Amino acid sequence: MSDFEVVPNLQQSSSSVSKSRRKAHFPAGSNEKENLISWIPENIRKKECTYFVESSRTSDSGRIVCECGYLREQHLEDAAKPPIFLGKEWDPSRHIQEMPTDAFGDIHFTGLGQKTGKYVRVSSDTPPRVIYHLMTQYWGLDAPNLLISVTGGAKNFIMKPRLKNIFRQGLVKVAQTTGAWIITGGSHAGVMKQVGEAVRDFILSGSHKEGKIVTIGIATWGTVYNRESLICPMGGFPAEYVLDEENQGSLSCLDSNHSHFILVDDGTHGRYGVEITLRTRLEKFISEQTKVKGGVAIKIPIVCVVLEGGPGTLDTIYNAITNGTPCVIVEGSGRVADVIAQVANLPVSKITIALIQKKLSVFFHDTYELFTESKLVEWTKKIQDIVRSRQLLTIFREGKYGQQDVDVAILQALFKASRNQDHFGHENWDHQLKLAVAWNRVDIARSEIFTDDHEWKPTDLHPMMAAALISNKPEFVKLFLEQGVRLKEFVTWDTLVYLYDNMAPSCLFHSKLQKVLLEEREHTAGSKMPRIQLHHVSQVLRELLGCSTQPLYPKPKHTERPRLSIPVPHIKLNVQGSSLRSLYKRSAGRVIFTMDPVRDLLIWAVVQNRKELAEIIWAQSQDCMVTALACSKILKELAKEEEDTDTTDDMLALAEQYEQKAIGVFTDCYRKDEERAQKLLTRVSEAWGKTTCLQLALEAKNMNFVSHGGVQAFLTKVWWGKMCVDNGLWRVIACMLFFPLLYTSLITFREKRLQPAGCLTRLRAFFTAPVVIFLMNILSYFTFLLLFAYVLMVDFQPSPSWREYLVYFWLFSLVCEETRQLLYDPDGFGVVKMASLYFKDFWNKLDVCAILVFITGLACRLIPSTLYPGRIILSLAFIIFCLRLMHIFTVSKTLGPKIIIVKRMLKDVFFFLFLLAVWVVSFGVAKQAILIHNEERVEWLFRGVVYHSYLTIFGQIPSYIDGVNFNIDQCSPNGTDPYKPKCPETNEDSKKPIFPEWLTVILLCLYLLFTNILLLNLLIAMFNYTFQQVQEHTDQIWKFQRHDLIEEYHGRPPAPPPFILLNHLQILVRRCLLRRPSTHHKQLKEKLEKNEEAALLSWEMYLKENYLQHQQCQEKQNTEQKIRDIAERVDVLAELLDLDRVKRTGLVEQRLVSLEDQVHQTAQALRWIMQALQDNGFSSSEDVPPVGSSKASETKEVDLEGKAEESRPPYHVLARNLLYPGSHTLRFPVPDEKVPWEVDFPLYDPPAYSADHKDMAVQDPFSPSLESLLKINYNTMDGLIDRQSFHGLYAVQDGLPLWRRNLDGSIIRKSLKKMLEVLVAQYPLSDVWALPGGSLEPGETLPLKLKWILRREFWPQFQNLLKQGTEVHKGYLDDPRNTDNAWVETVAVSVHFDNQNDVEMKRLNSFLQGCDPELCVRWQVLDKRIPLHANHKELLRKVSTLLGAYY
């Protein structure tokens, strides 16, 4: 893990949600700049030359320069005559010093485009961790999921237009989809320019909104043209940079399409390649970091992409391959890339000096003369070593992968490398899957991972499933479901807790959860924030779903939760301190599965507004209609609280989609079977808090669903009770008025048992129907209002009459019914929640208001002194009771929507009054102050300011306002008359008003203009808008509000007031005296039996699948979709035609090569025939005609030389590595063909080298000097040291032993069947595994490393096992430490146990130990991909061949 992690408040996000949520956490721009200005000079340095020494070279302008390349004036002031350096030669290590950097900040490229990036000047010795810290912490870059190092030609080169487009599009695609960093040289030339133009095209295409591409240019500071403009000690914010290619000379300009620049400074000017070392170290450091995101922890992989290139590029490829970095070579780009691509598929033995020479002459025709013989040998050796590591080498050919498939080639190269290096077996597949998930490349996962080569267990995919969910990768979730992941096994209690723990902090649901946790902490008075548990989630969900649902997750009675018991080996995925490996680990506890895993995952996805993910999960649901309506409700509630408008719109759109899904499924169900479809509406869903489809639709105000024909048919059926719905209303009224008509055929019933005329239940069925109850209540209510009006107007006596008592009794029955509605709680919600639900209804509020006003009036009426006020209050109560009549009209399709219009218009009027009040009060106060002096009577003040101003709007203009119709008799001069207003200010003599009439008239005109014309017309427009809105949805609104009326009368006692008291008395006796529970049959809910419910849900799920298929077909038939499909097909066809042209060209080339091979073979055969004839004396050598061209012979000689060697394993591969182990000393390059001593190799001149080992002083007292080496006795026992070879006598030349470099022996593999396990060990400070054993010290019987593995008491027994074993190898062993004069020889013994129950094997296992805690020992299945030393793999191959086992 890296010591540095990305600081969240420095990460930029294109999401408006993230911006709105995290805005408070972002530091201000000035603070961020101040932090950068203070941090960079403290941690990052530059290099300056402190000693001026004249160089023999001159500058481009012919001026004298220093050895560092800079002019005298470009040095420090004291650099010209430093006293301590006088008389000394210029030495970079001494005369170049580090000091705080003076170039960093933002770089702004002037000219077209106005592009901005970030840059910093760093010393070549800067630690990579500091640069990585700068990039992630201060530049705000997310750690990459992949590092793409692009290398190649530094000068401009020409590529085929098609190949250029393929490369650009593929590179951008892989960077965008995987979240990669692209690292180049940063200059505006060569391959760097190609990368920059690819990014530029990506930005111009508009695709940059999908994700920003990070392109980092690492260039040499001393070679950057116009770098003076970047120098700013306090940072450039921004620094203006001019890209001037015409005048750059030998320097180079920075590429404007790169986003970040690291300019490496070694204190010199004009020297290229300074950045290579730091770039290599930085890339290696980044590749060692672990990226944790979305539940996936991966070591950041690195890949090298090569275009064109020269000698430096070859060195880069060689170093990359040596370090285990996979390389992608783009064939057709030119020079080095094409040379390697041409020979990559050949056996290494065929890659000869002659072949490389030929290729170089073709691809380096301009500079071929510069290649010396030694350089050719070196290139051949390097290319052989590169091709030998085929698992790290991928050649991209234009016709092979198809257009835009460079991204696939890059990712396949990484997979190919991972299969052969870091991991093996199941662990390798897990690693590859982690990479694919981190890159979000489901196409690569399908083609490379989920193949027939490996069989995945569903449980193995559980950790990656969780990771895909957290990181919102729906395509992977869909893939895992296709691969057999069962949500019932995946979703457990702890999995859900883990998922909610890792919700996005910007999510509104997450903030609501935090509030719940904060409240719990305050309630428990704890100092630590409690962890998220599912009952906290349930609490928030209940707020969103409404109080009518019960908690989805009950609060556990105990705090400890049992751990999961799902084993997932070889996986380590870390997320924010918790790990998936610890989540899915073996445990003695049992697994707690949830009731409905699909519901749980869907809720988790929906509350985060993850559309695609939620859609995939909903497709798996069984109770799909309830689920869709619940999601719609949750989204609508969240949208009300969401602050970000874009997110709100997305949530509302998604809520509408789920409503349409529910409508679509219900439509299919209703078409198939009306009765079963209507059962789905009232079925109690245990998974969703014992609610129903209909209830959720009403809670969410899903008018489209409720207004569906099937739902309305169900409501109509409920409205008519047990009667047929086609009975006329006049028939029902006739039977109500004269019930014996029921026993005729006037009324028909649905149930057959109610058809006989003499049936007694017929009467009950009729009077319990909601429509009949409604009509009787209307009749009762009108009777009550008529009686109430009669009492108020005619019969209101000091002492109440019998008619008045009847009104009170009637009201008492109404109060009892309202009390019953308030306290009726069949679902056990409690009084408080039932009260809240009761008062949510507007009509209930109106009922309570009317009753309270009536009771107040009754109290005043019964007191003689307040008899008249009591009558007034009762009159007001009558008004409210009359308004209550509007609720009855909701049953009417015509009047029902009009009531909604009136209610909405009342809201409009309420807000309109605020505007009106401003004008009324302003005009009234001004008028009153101008006309009347010091009016002290409050009632007349109110009249003058408000009442008169309000009446003026309707045309009642005061007569005295203009002074024309003033009459002093109509007012009181001193304001003493309580029935007259105070007179305006008048002249004391003439009693004429003295106020300015012109001003009051102007004010009146303005007032009438704004109120009558502007505001009243505004009010009319508001009313018109409201009317149009409701009128457009009249049918939906009526159907929606109709439900409330039907549900009310469906559950209402059948008798109308005041006879309803009998029903109340019956309920009271049953509940209080008989203690019987309340019946549920009056609710629109139905709890089904388990078998019936299961069958109904299966039927619903089947029709849901049909609905989804139908939707897919409709999408395909959509005109826009058809156009898109046709466009895609045309593009594919164009690609195929283009590819066909490329393939035809390649086919012609292949045929020519094949023809050339056949001609060559024919020539060889003829030459052999002629030679045989000549040997038998049939002809003389002078008469032999030439067969085949000499050029063809030369070309094919290489092939003939390598054919015999093709089956032989290469020897001395490790012993010919270009670097000695643990040293910077270079070996002399020896190609394969020059390995045998018999082959003439005049250039061979190896360096004199002997490794320094501190521990070797004890083992070998001889120093590496020649005098000491001459004292050694070879081919015999030299004291305790055995210097004899297993291969017999070896030559001693010039006092040194000489190993015979011969290619001998060939091993033939047999057919393999059985599997073997081998004991392997990983020693401290080693990255690979090794076979147990090591160097045998003089006088010892067992190697020291073997003793580390075994306990001391087992050493003698192990020696016996070795004696019984089979010797599989004895002699020379290929090793990187081998040289011409020193080499490793070893003996390998195979001790074989037939099975794991072998006594000796059990005893061996019991004595295995590790004296070092970092030592690891284990049994491993034998496989050629095990990360072992190469020479150990060869030993295992011999053992597998010996035992006939798999390898």
Side-chain angles (χ1 to χ4, degrees):
M1 286 292 289
S2 170
D3 295 332
F4 302 102
E5 295 180 0
V6 178
V7 178
N9 63 353
L10 290 174
Q11 296 177 2
Q12 299 291 334
S13 173
S14 59
S15 170
S16 58
V17 181
S18 302
K19 288 180 180 177
S20 63
R21 294 270 174 225
R22 302 180 194 175
K23 190 173 181 179
H25 301 289
F26 271 88
S30 59
N31 293 337
E32 190 176 348
K33 213 173 284 185
E34 288 173 7
N35 293 337
L36 197 64
I37 291 171
S38 61
W39 185 86
I40 285 187
E42 292 175 3
N43 295 274
I44 296 180
R45 324 287 284 178
K46 67 173 182 176
K47 285 189 174 182
E48 290 276 2
C49 177
T50 58
Y51 185 47
F52 184 85
V53 175
E54 289 188 10
S55 173
S56 57
R57 295 178 292 110
T58 59
S59 66
D60 294 338
S61 59
R63 300 177 63 185
I64 298 173
V65 296
C66 175
E67 287 287 346
C68 65
Y70 284 101
L71 299 173
R72 184 185 296 271
E73 54 267 24
Q74 291 174 328
H75 282 67
L76 298 174
E77 293 181 4
D78 298 334
K81 294 180 180 180
I84 59 173
F85 293 145
L86 285 176
K88 296 181 181 178
E89 293 183 357
W90 190 83
D91 182 5
S93 61
R94 298 179 57 191
H95 299 158
I96 289 181
Q97 295 182 359
E98 287 190 345
M99 49 193 67
T101 187
D102 58 358
F104 62 91
D106 298 335
I107 181 171
H108 178 75
F109 290 91
T110 59
L112 189 64
Q114 301 290 318
K115 297 170 184 175
T116 303
K118 294 187 180 295
Y119 75 99
V120 66
R121 174 186 183 183
V122 303
S123 165
S124 57
D125 298 327
T126 305
R129 61 179 181 82
V130 175
I131 300 176
Y132 186 71
H133 183 69
L134 169 70
M135 291 192 290
T136 55
Q137 292 279 19
Y138 290 93
W139 284 354
L141 295 178
D142 285 329
N145 292 319
L146 170 64
L147 198 64
I148 304 174
S149 179
V150 183
T151 188
K155 295 181 180 179
N156 291 327
F157 55 90
I158 299 173
M159 285 178 67
K160 297 177 185 176
R162 174 182 164 81
L163 182 63
K164 183 190 295 184
N165 291 334
I166 293 174
F167 169 74
R168 290 182 179 182
Q169 293 172 7
L171 183 68
V172 165
K173 183 178 179 182
V174 73
Q176 181 196 2
T177 57
T178 64
W181 287 1
I182 301 176
I183 295 182
T184 73
S187 60
H188 189 64
V191 68
M192 295 79 75
K193 186 175 181 180
Q194 296 287 348
V195 173
E197 290 176 352
V199 175
R200 179 201 62 193
D201 295 344
F202 171 73
I203 295 173
L204 292 177
S205 68
S207 305
H208 64 281
K209 296 176 182 177
E210 302 171 9
K212 184 180 178 182
I213 294 179
V214 178
T215 317
I216 301 169
I218 303 179
T220 301
W221 169 262
T223 62
V224 176
Y225 184 65
N226 278 339
R227 60 181 179 274
E228 295 80 12
S229 61
L230 302 179
I231 297 176
C232 183
M234 298 304 292
F237 296 101
E240 301 289 338
Y241 184 82
V242 179
L243 199 153
D244 185 7
E245 289 186 274
E246 293 181 2
N247 302 316
Q248 67 183 10
S250 61
L251 302 180
S252 57
C253 293
L254 296 178
D255 185 72
S256 59
N257 297 304
H258 283 62
S259 59
H260 300 79
F261 294 93
I262 298 170
L263 307 176
V264 185
D265 184 17
D266 70 339
T268 64
H269 168 80
R271 297 181 184 176
Y272 284 90
V274 170
E275 82 286 355
I276 293 176
T277 304
L278 181 60
R279 175 176 171 177
T280 304
R281 289 191 288 121
L282 179 62
E283 290 175 353
K284 184 178 181 182
F285 178 83
I286 295 174
S287 66
E288 291 171 351
Q289 306 307 301
T290 301
K291 170 72 179 290
V292 179
K293 184 178 180 182
V296 182
I298 60 167
K299 261 194 170 183
I300 299 173
I302 179 173
V303 63
C304 180
V305 180
V306 181
L307 265 79
E308 213 241 6
T313 303
L314 181 66
D315 292 339
T316 303
I317 300 170
Y318 181 81
N319 292 332
I321 294 290
T322 305
N323 293 326
T325 301
C327 292
V328 177
I329 312 293
V330 180
E331 186 179 20
S333 57
R335 299 208 296 171
V336 163
D338 282 359
V339 170
I340 296 176
Q342 291 283 322
V343 301
N345 292 330
L346 296 176
V348 178
S349 58
K350 289 190 176 183
I351 303 174
T352 61
I353 298 174
L355 180 62
I356 297 300
Q357 185 177 5
K358 178 185 175 184
K359 298 297 181 185
L360 291 177
S361 65
V362 174
F363 296 108
F364 285 80
H365 50 83
D366 293 336
T367 57
Y368 175 69
E369 293 79 10
L370 302 177
F371 284 93
T372 61
E373 190 175 356
S374 60
K375 185 62 70 175
L376 284 173
V377 170
E378 181 185 347
W379 274 55
T380 305
K381 175 65 173 70
K382 287 182 178 179
I383 293 174
Q384 285 178 349
D385 288 348
I386 289 169
V387 174
R388 190 173 281 114
S389 302
R390 297 183 191 275
Q391 73 278 6
L392 297 174
L393 192 63
T394 300
I395 308 299
F396 173 77
R397 291 184 172 88
E398 185 180 351
K400 182 177 179 183
Y401 294 98
Q403 194 175 12
Q404 300 181 16
D405 280 341
V406 170
D407 59 315
V408 176
I410 291 173
L411 301 180
Q412 285 178 339
L414 287 162
F415 280 155
K416 187 166 73 171
S418 71
R419 292 191 191 109
N420 293 276
Q421 277 193 330
D422 300 332
H423 307 275
F424 51 94
H426 179 73
E427 192 173 333
N428 171 55
W429 292 104
D430 283 335
H431 174 71
Q432 292 186 44
L433 185 56
K434 282 197 289 182
L435 290 177
V437 172
W439 298 334
N440 197 19
R441 290 299 297 260
V442 73
D443 56 330
I444 298 295
R446 288 182 187 277
S447 61
E448 299 292 325
I449 300 173
F450 292 100
T451 60
D452 296 334
D453 296 338
H454 181 69
E455 184 177 350
W456 289 90
K457 296 179 181 177
T459 52
D460 294 341
L461 298 173
H462 286 179
M464 301 314 300
M465 178 75 167
L469 287 167
I470 292 169
S471 54
N472 192 22
K473 292 169 180 172
E475 291 298 323
F476 269 100
V477 173
K478 187 176 181 180
L479 176 63
F480 294 149
L481 290 173
E482 291 173 1
Q483 294 299 322
V485 171
R486 297 184 61 197
L487 294 181
K488 191 171 183 180
E489 296 176 357
F490 168 71
V491 181
T492 61
W493 192 280
D494 286 346
T495 306
L496 278 179
V497 172
Y498 177 80
L499 290 175
Y500 280 105
D501 263 332
N502 290 281
M503 289 183 75
S506 59
C507 173
L508 174 62
F509 193 86
H510 182 270
S511 61
K512 293 176 76 68
L513 269 179
Q514 294 303 314
K515 287 181 183 177
V516 170
L517 295 176
L518 191 61
E519 290 173 3
E520 182 174 313
R521 188 182 72 173
E522 293 174 354
H523 180 70
T524 56
S527 59
K528 189 178 180 182
M529 183 75 80
R531 281 194 63 199
I532 292 177
Q533 296 296 334
L534 290 187
H535 65 271
H536 299 134
V537 177
S538 179
Q539 187 175 339
V540 180
L541 286 176
R542 199 167 187 196
E543 293 176 12
L544 299 175
L545 287 171
C547 296
S548 59
T549 58
Q550 294 187 359
L552 300 187
Y553 307 111
K555 189 172 183 179
K557 297 179 181 178
H558 49 83
T559 56
E560 292 292 330
R561 294 231 38 91
R563 299 305 301 168
L564 296 178
S565 65
I566 301 175
V568 179
H570 308 303
I571 283 288
K572 185 177 182 181
L573 303 170
N574 297 320
V575 181
Q576 299 175 2
S578 58
S579 74
L580 280 175
R581 187 178 183 182
S582 63
L583 184 69
Y584 294 97
K585 68 179 182 180
R586 296 186 181 273
S587 172
R590 61 192 180 88
V591 180
I592 303 298
F593 294 103
T594 60
M595 178 193 298
D596 191 339
V598 178
R599 172 205 67 181
D600 300 328
L601 273 190
L602 184 60
I603 290 173
W604 180 83
V606 163
V607 297
Q608 296 181 88
N609 198 26
R610 295 183 173 180
K611 178 181 175 182
E612 296 84 0
L613 198 58
E615 189 167 351
I616 292 170
I617 300 170
W618 181 81
Q620 305 292 319
S621 63
Q622 191 175 22
D623 197 357
C624 51
M625 275 173 52
V626 179
T627 302
L629 292 170
C631 290
S632 177
K633 167 68 174 170
I634 291 171
L635 287 165
K636 285 184 176 180
E637 292 299 321
L638 286 173
K640 293 177 183 176
E641 302 180 39
E642 180 60 56
E643 298 173 0
D644 186 81
T645 53
D646 293 338
T647 309
T648 301
D649 294 341
D650 292 342
M651 285 181 171
L652 292 176
L654 188 56
E656 187 177 352
Q657 286 184 21
Y658 276 106
E659 183 182 359
Q660 292 301 321
K661 289 179 188 293
I663 292 171
V665 175
F666 182 72
T667 301
D668 288 352
C669 293
Y670 189 71
R671 286 173 182 169
K672 287 286 182 181
D673 191 331
E674 294 183 12
E675 187 176 348
R676 296 179 81 178
Q678 290 172 358
K679 271 190 179 182
L680 288 171
L681 293 174
T682 57
R683 181 190 69 86
V684 174
S685 175
E686 295 289 340
W688 288 98
K690 297 185 177 179
T691 186
T692 64
C693 273
L694 196 55
Q695 196 167 5
L696 279 172
L698 294 164
E699 289 274 354
K701 295 185 179 179
N702 291 328
M703 290 191 181
N704 292 327
F705 183 84
V706 177
S707 60
H708 188 275
V711 179
Q712 290 301 309
F714 168 73
L715 292 176
T716 303
K717 189 186 293 185
V718 172
W719 179 243
W720 284 92
K722 296 179 181 178
M723 294 184 291
C724 293
V725 296
D726 55 354
N727 288 311
L729 192 61
W730 66 270
R731 296 182 184 181
V732 176
I733 296 173
C735 291
M736 280 174 53
L737 298 175
F738 189 66
F739 69 88
L741 292 175
L742 285 171
Y743 296 99
T744 65
S745 58
L746 189 65
I747 297 292
T748 56
F749 291 84
R750 290 198 306 271
E751 298 182 15
K752 292 182 179 179
R753 62 187 181 86
L754 299 175
Q755 292 299 336
C759 184
L760 295 176
T761 55
R762 196 177 177 89
L763 186 66
R764 179 182 177 87
F766 176 79
F767 282 102
T768 55
V771 62
V772 177
I773 298 172
F774 172 74
L775 293 173
M776 288 194 299
N777 274 273
I778 288 179
L779 184 62
S780 168
Y781 199 74
F782 272 108
T783 306
F784 166 72
L785 290 178
L786 288 172
L787 185 61
F788 192 9
Y790 178 81
V791 168
L792 286 174
M793 294 186 297
V794 179
D795 195 18
F796 199 82
Q797 306 298 334
S799 59
S801 63
W802 67 271
R803 285 178 288 272
E804 191 172 347
Y805 278 120
L806 182 58
V807 170
Y808 299 155
F809 180 72
W810 211 306
L811 182 75
F812 176 71
S813 68
L814 292 176
V815 172
C816 291
E817 174 56 22
E818 295 300 323
T819 306
R820 182 198 68 80
Q821 292 181 22
L822 177 65
L823 300 178
Y824 183 61
D825 185 18
D827 295 319
F829 290 139
V831 177
V832 176
K833 288 183 181 177
M834 288 306 301
S836 66
L837 290 173
Y838 175 82
F839 284 107
K840 278 184 179 178
D841 189 354
F842 170 77
W843 302 111
N844 288 338
K845 294 176 185 176
L846 201 63
D847 286 337
V848 172
C849 180
I851 291 169
L852 290 177
V853 173
F854 187 95
I855 292 172
T856 305
L858 177 61
C860 295
R861 187 256 181 278
L862 295 178
I863 302 172
S865 59
T866 56
L867 178 65
Y868 181 64
R871 193 176 74 180
I872 294 173
I873 296 173
L874 288 174
S875 300
L876 297 176
F878 180 81
I879 295 174
I880 301 175
F881 277 119
C882 287
L883 292 175
R884 183 65 174 81
L885 272 175
M886 288 193 297
H887 181 47
I888 297 170
F889 300 147
T890 55
V891 77
S892 169
K893 189 173 183 178
T894 304
L895 294 177
K898 302 302 184 288
I899 296 171
I900 300 295
I901 293 173
V902 171
K903 287 168 67 177
R904 293 193 182 182
M905 285 182 175
L906 285 174
K907 292 181 182 179
D908 293 340
V909 168
F910 178 77
F911 291 109
F912 171 79
L913 288 177
F914 285 103
L915 294 174
L916 185 63
V918 173
W919 290 97
V920 169
V921 172
S922 61
F923 174 74
V925 170
K927 175 184 72 71
Q928 186 74 9
I930 293 171
L931 296 179
I932 299 171
H933 180 67
N934 293 342
E935 174 64 82
E936 297 179 355
R937 295 173 296 176
V938 177
E939 65 276 10
W940 283 103
L941 271 176
F942 178 78
R943 283 189 179 191
V945 173
V946 180
Y947 181 61
H948 289 161
S949 301
Y950 181 72
L951 291 179
T952 302
I953 299 174
F954 301 101
Q956 295 189 16
I957 302 173
S959 58
Y960 53 84
I961 198 166
D962 56 356
V964 176
N965 297 321
F966 176 72
N967 186 357
I968 198 168
D969 296 331
Q970 294 179 354
C971 60
S972 173
N974 299 321
T976 54
D977 190 346
Y979 300 106
K980 291 182 180 180
K982 190 176 181 179
C983 292
E985 291 199 47
T986 57
N987 194 331
E988 294 182 359
D989 299 332
S990 59
K991 300 298 181 181
K992 296 292 182 182
I994 61 172
F995 61 85
E997 296 93 346
W998 62 270
L999 180 59
T1000 55
V1001 170
I1002 292 175
L1003 290 176
L1004 178 64
C1005 292
L1006 291 174
Y1007 174 66
L1008 291 177
L1009 174 68
F1010 280 98
T1011 53
N1012 274 23
I1013 298 176
L1014 182 64
L1015 292 183
L1016 288 181
N1017 280 286
L1018 174 64
L1019 181 63
I1020 294 169
M1022 291 168 65
F1023 285 168
N1024 183 58
Y1025 175 74
T1026 302
F1027 180 82
Q1028 291 296 334
Q1029 264 194 328
V1030 178
Q1031 194 67 23
E1032 288 176 4
H1033 306 93
T1034 299
D1035 188 58
Q1036 284 186 1
I1037 293 172
W1038 174 73
K1039 288 176 178 177
F1040 184 79
Q1041 69 180 8
R1042 173 174 180 251
H1043 168 271
D1044 295 336
L1045 186 71
I1046 293 174
E1047 187 179 35
E1048 178 184 346
Y1049 285 95
H1050 175 70
R1052 195 183 182 104
F1059 306 107
I1060 198 172
L1061 287 174
L1062 298 175
N1063 293 113
H1064 295 157
L1065 185 62
Q1066 179 188 5
I1067 293 171
L1068 189 65
V1069 170
R1070 182 182 298 166
R1071 294 292 305 276
C1072 299
L1073 299 180
L1074 301 179
R1075 302 290 182 183
R1076 293 180 183 176
S1078 61
T1079 56
H1080 292 258
H1081 69 277
K1082 282 294 184 181
Q1083 288 184 287
L1084 295 179
K1085 287 185 177 182
E1086 185 180 6
K1087 186 169 176 60
L1088 304 178
E1089 296 293 331
K1090 287 186 177 180
N1091 293 336
E1092 184 182 3
E1093 183 176 24
L1096 188 65
L1097 290 178
S1098 298
W1099 178 71
E1100 180 189 9
M1101 192 171 182
Y1102 167 73
L1103 291 175
K1104 177 203 68 180
E1105 298 295 335
N1106 289 347
Y1107 164 74
L1108 291 175
Q1109 291 178 4
H1110 181 66
Q1111 287 295 106
Q1112 291 177 357
C1113 292
Q1114 279 188 335
E1115 287 179 5
K1116 290 180 181 178
Q1117 294 175 358
N1118 188 10
T1119 306
E1120 294 182 1
Q1121 185 63 36
K1122 283 183 177 179
I1123 292 172
R1124 283 195 294 267
D1125 291 343
I1126 292 171
E1128 288 178 4
R1129 289 175 182 176
V1130 170
D1131 290 341
V1132 171
L1133 187 60
E1135 289 177 15
L1136 290 175
L1137 290 173
D1138 206 358
L1139 280 175
D1140 185 57
R1141 179 184 59 79
V1142 174
K1143 287 180 178 178
R1144 284 182 180 178
T1145 306
L1147 188 61
V1148 170
E1149 291 178 358
Q1150 288 177 4
R1151 288 181 175 179
L1152 288 174
V1153 171
S1154 176
L1155 182 61
E1156 189 177 332
D1157 287 342
Q1158 290 179 7
V1159 170
H1160 175 70
Q1161 290 174 7
T1162 305
Q1164 291 286 346
L1166 289 174
R1167 187 181 292 112
W1168 178 83
I1169 293 171
M1170 288 187 294
Q1171 184 68 37
L1173 291 172
Q1174 183 182 356
D1175 293 342
N1176 287 287
F1178 285 94
S1179 178
S1180 64
S1181 58
E1182 291 141 5
D1183 300 332
V1184 177
V1187 182
S1189 66
S1190 59
K1191 187 175 180 181
S1193 302
E1194 290 174 6
T1195 305
K1196 291 301 175 180
E1197 275 177 11
V1198 179
D1199 298 339
L1200 292 174
E1201 286 174 7
K1203 275 189 177 178
E1205 302 169 7
E1206 228 173 286
S1207 60
R1208 301 177 191 171
Y1211 271 65
H1212 311 294
V1213 174
L1214 299 176
R1216 289 183 290 125
N1217 286 348
L1218 287 184
L1219 276 175
Y1220 288 103
S1223 170
H1224 295 289
T1225 306
L1226 291 174
R1227 272 196 176 104
F1228 193 91
V1230 180
D1232 287 5
E1233 62 188 297
K1234 299 295 185 180
V1235 167
W1237 286 108
E1238 291 80 3
V1239 177
D1240 186 32
F1241 196 12
L1243 292 175
Y1244 185 61
D1245 184 20
Y1249 172 77
S1250 183
D1252 294 328
H1253 294 289
K1254 295 180 181 179
D1255 298 337
M1256 291 299 292
V1258 180
Q1259 302 173 19
D1260 198 345
F1262 298 99
S1263 64
S1265 64
L1266 184 60
E1267 293 78 7
S1268 301
L1269 294 174
L1270 292 173
K1271 299 177 183 178
I1272 298 176
N1273 297 318
Y1274 298 106
N1275 285 314
T1276 183
M1277 287 295 296
D1278 187 19
L1280 295 176
I1281 301 175
D1282 187 1
R1283 299 192 186 274
Q1284 301 176 82
S1285 172
F1286 293 121
H1287 299 273
L1289 295 177
Y1290 50 83
V1292 179
Q1293 183 177 339
D1294 299 330
L1296 296 174
L1298 191 65
W1299 170 251
R1300 302 291 294 174
R1301 289 199 315 261
N1302 295 326
L1303 297 174
D1304 55 348
S1306 60
I1307 299 172
I1308 302 172
R1309 298 185 178 184
K1310 302 177 181 179
S1311 58
L1312 314 174
K1313 295 181 180 179
K1314 59 183 178 182
M1315 303 287 290
L1316 295 179
E1317 284 190 349
V1318 62
L1319 186 66
V1320 292
Q1322 190 174 35
Y1323 296 99
L1325 304 178
S1326 175
D1327 295 331
V1328 295
W1329 295 80
L1331 297 177
S1335 300
L1336 190 64
E1337 303 299 327
E1340 296 289 340
T1341 56
L1342 290 175
L1344 179 61
K1345 288 186 176 180
L1346 194 58
K1347 292 180 179 179
W1348 288 2
I1349 297 174
L1350 303 172
R1351 295 182 189 173
R1352 181 180 293 274
E1353 56 268 25
F1354 189 67
W1355 291 353
Q1357 299 178 41
F1358 190 75
Q1359 289 181 19
N1360 294 331
L1361 286 176
L1362 289 177
K1363 293 177 182 177
Q1364 298 171 11
T1366 305
E1367 185 179 287
V1368 295
H1369 179 82
K1370 186 175 182 180
Y1372 172 81
L1373 191 69
D1374 192 17
D1375 192 277
R1377 297 166 291 182
N1378 290 351
T1379 65
D1380 294 344
N1381 310 114
W1383 61 91
V1384 175
E1385 292 189 7
T1386 188
V1387 177
V1389 178
S1390 170
V1391 180
H1392 180 64
F1393 305 105
D1394 291 330
N1395 55 67
Q1396 294 182 352
N1397 297 323
D1398 191 287
V1399 178
E1400 292 296 336
M1401 182 176 177
K1402 288 184 177 180
R1403 186 180 295 112
L1404 172 63
N1405 288 334
S1406 65
F1407 285 101
L1408 287 177
Q1409 67 154 19
C1411 62
D1412 192 319
E1414 296 183 7
L1415 178 66
C1416 183
V1417 184
R1418 74 178 182 187
W1419 289 94
Q1420 175 64 46
V1421 175
L1422 185 57
D1423 191 287
K1424 61 183 176 182
R1425 291 175 292 182
I1426 300 175
L1428 281 173
H1429 290 295
N1431 45 23
H1432 290 193
K1433 284 188 177 182
E1434 179 63 23
L1435 297 177
L1436 288 179
R1437 190 187 63 79
K1438 290 183 178 182
V1439 173
S1440 61
T1441 304
L1442 180 66
L1443 298 175
Y1446 168 78
Y1447 178 67

